[in-house]
Amino acid sequence: MIMVGCATPPPKEAAMDWAAFIASVPGSVISDVDYQTSTLKRSAHRANTPGLAQTKASFGSWCQTHGGKASDTPLSPGTGVAQSFHVASAAWSNQDLVLRGDRYSSTSLFCFDGQAQLMAVMFVRTYGGYRNSRYEPDKLPAPVIAFYTPDQAAQFADFYNAKEKERSDAIIKESQRRSDRQAEETRRLRSAPKVGDQTMEGIVIELRPPLALIQYSALQRQMFGKPQSEWVPITSLTAPR
């Protein structure tokens, strides 16, 4: 866990409320409904620069001046919203990578009061380019900085955790559908095989019940040392997934 802040906060931040702190963060106001908050800025500083690091540190200073403690990981116990937000932000990045091929990295900065209750969140999200492309930070947009009250953080967490559950449920449903289809095709393959049928291991090139001559795929030959072809029991045939 990394604590965020400084020992002696700048005096000018001492009286800042949350809105004033947001206004003090260098950047331009933008709009993006995906962040589930109306308070967003495009940072004035690019990723991995001293300016962005100072922006993050300023959150720790603001938190300290309001009697809180800042951290980039959820505290325990009593930090349910922070933990849920932390999980949701990772789920969002995973969704973007899996569904669209877009890479994102992010930092969630939390401010907790003396009872470990969440006071505010500052979320810094950086686009890293398309999947498998070379990382060229100078050609990418500056990070987006999003600001959340505890209620807004809870809404963000609920939204992206629900989307991740939907995605996971869809994967399970599709996997079951494929398994059912494979089982049905395997029954057909074993009861009425035909030359040219595809199997998990290769293609049927000749039939002499109860045997079938399988021409193994290149993958089977390279990875498992299978011969070019082999006679196997028809009852051992399995349809491809």
Side-chain angles (χ1 to χ4, degrees), residues 180-200:
D180 292 344
R181 184 178 62 190
Q182 182 187 35
E184 181 180 350
E185 182 58 22
T186 294
R187 287 192 291 270
R188 199 281 308 165
L189 183 63
R190 293 177 180 179
S191 63
K194 302 186 300 291
V195 171
D197 277 342
Q198 292 286 344
T199 75
M200 283 283 285

Side-chain angles (χ1 to χ4, degrees), residues 47 49 66 134:
T49 61
H66 287 76
R134 188 169 65 177

Side-chain angles (χ1 to χ4, degrees), residues 198-203 214-229:
Q198 292 286 344
T199 75
M200 283 283 285
E201 295 79 20
I203 187 171
I214 300 296
Q215 179 178 295
Y216 287 112
S217 66
L219 179 64
Q220 292 287 323
R221 297 196 300 272
Q222 293 169 6
M223 292 193 65
F224 304 108
K226 295 288 188 178
Q228 181 73 25
S229 60

Side-chain angles (χ1 to χ4, degrees), residues 128-201:
Y130 189 72
R131 179 195 292 117
N132 298 328
S133 64
R134 188 169 65 177
Y135 178 58
E136 299 179 289
D138 292 341
K139 297 181 181 180
L140 298 173
V144 172
I145 305 174
F147 307 87
Y148 301 85
T149 63
D151 286 345
Q152 291 169 333
Q155 291 170 6
F156 172 94
D158 289 346
F159 181 80
Y160 280 106
N161 286 331
K163 286 190 68 172
E164 185 64 9
K165 184 177 185 306
E166 289 175 4
R167 193 179 73 84
S168 297
D169 288 348
I171 290 173
I172 294 172
K173 185 176 180 180
E174 174 62 16
S175 178
Q176 185 60 54
R177 187 184 68 82
R178 289 186 178 185
S179 293
D180 292 344
R181 184 178 62 190
Q182 182 187 35
E184 181 180 350
E185 182 58 22
T186 294
R187 287 192 291 270
R188 199 281 308 165
L189 183 63
R190 293 177 180 179
S191 63
K194 302 186 300 291
V195 171
D197 277 342
Q198 292 286 344
T199 75
M200 283 283 285
E201 295 79 20

Side-chain angles (χ1 to χ4, degrees), residues 13-220:
E13 292 188 351
M16 282 187 181
D17 62 11
W18 183 230
F21 169 72
I22 293 171
S24 75
V25 173
S28 54
V29 176
I30 63 171
S31 177
D32 188 332
V33 296
D34 286 342
Y35 284 83
Q36 300 296 297
T37 176
S38 59
T39 316
L40 290 171
K41 283 190 170 181
R42 176 75 66 185
S43 176
H45 307 288
R46 291 195 172 274
N48 305 316
T49 61
L52 186 63
Q54 182 55 46
T55 296
K56 294 178 180 180
S58 69
F59 176 80
S61 298
W62 175 87
C63 182
Q64 187 177 359
T65 64
H66 287 76
K69 180 166 60 174
S71 172
D72 63 357
T73 58
L75 299 180
S76 179
T79 57
V81 172
Q83 179 63 40
S84 187
F85 187 99
H86 193 69
V87 171
S89 65
W92 184 17
S93 293
N94 186 51
Q95 290 158 19
D96 280 338
L97 180 62
V98 172
L99 300 177
R100 293 195 291 271
D102 292 325
R103 298 177 303 193
Y104 283 92
S105 61
S106 62
T107 303
S108 302
L109 302 176
F110 305 102
C111 180
F112 299 99
D113 66 15
Q115 287 70 51
Q117 297 301 307
L118 185 65
M119 297 168 63
V121 180
M122 189 172 82
F123 179 58
V124 183
R125 194 170 197 246
T126 305
Y127 181 56
Y130 189 72
R131 179 195 292 117
N132 298 328
S133 64
R134 188 169 65 177
Y135 178 58
E136 299 179 289
D138 292 341
K139 297 181 181 180
L140 298 173
V144 172
I145 305 174
F147 307 87
Y148 301 85
T149 63
D151 286 345
Q152 291 169 333
Q155 291 170 6
F156 172 94
D158 289 346
F159 181 80
Y160 280 106
N161 286 331
K163 286 190 68 172
E164 185 64 9
K165 184 177 185 306
E166 289 175 4
R167 193 179 73 84
S168 297
D169 288 348
I171 290 173
I172 294 172
K173 185 176 180 180
E174 174 62 16
S175 178
Q176 185 60 54
R177 187 184 68 82
R178 289 186 178 185
S179 293
D180 292 344
R181 184 178 62 190
Q182 182 187 35
E184 181 180 350
E185 182 58 22
T186 294
R187 287 192 291 270
R188 199 281 308 165
L189 183 63
R190 293 177 180 179
S191 63
K194 302 186 300 291
V195 171
D197 277 342
Q198 292 286 344
T199 75
M200 283 283 285
E201 295 79 20
I203 187 171
V204 177
I205 57 175
E206 190 175 343
L207 288 166
R208 294 181 186 174
L211 300 177
L213 183 61
I214 300 296
Q215 179 178 295
Y216 287 112
S217 66
L219 179 64
Q220 292 287 323

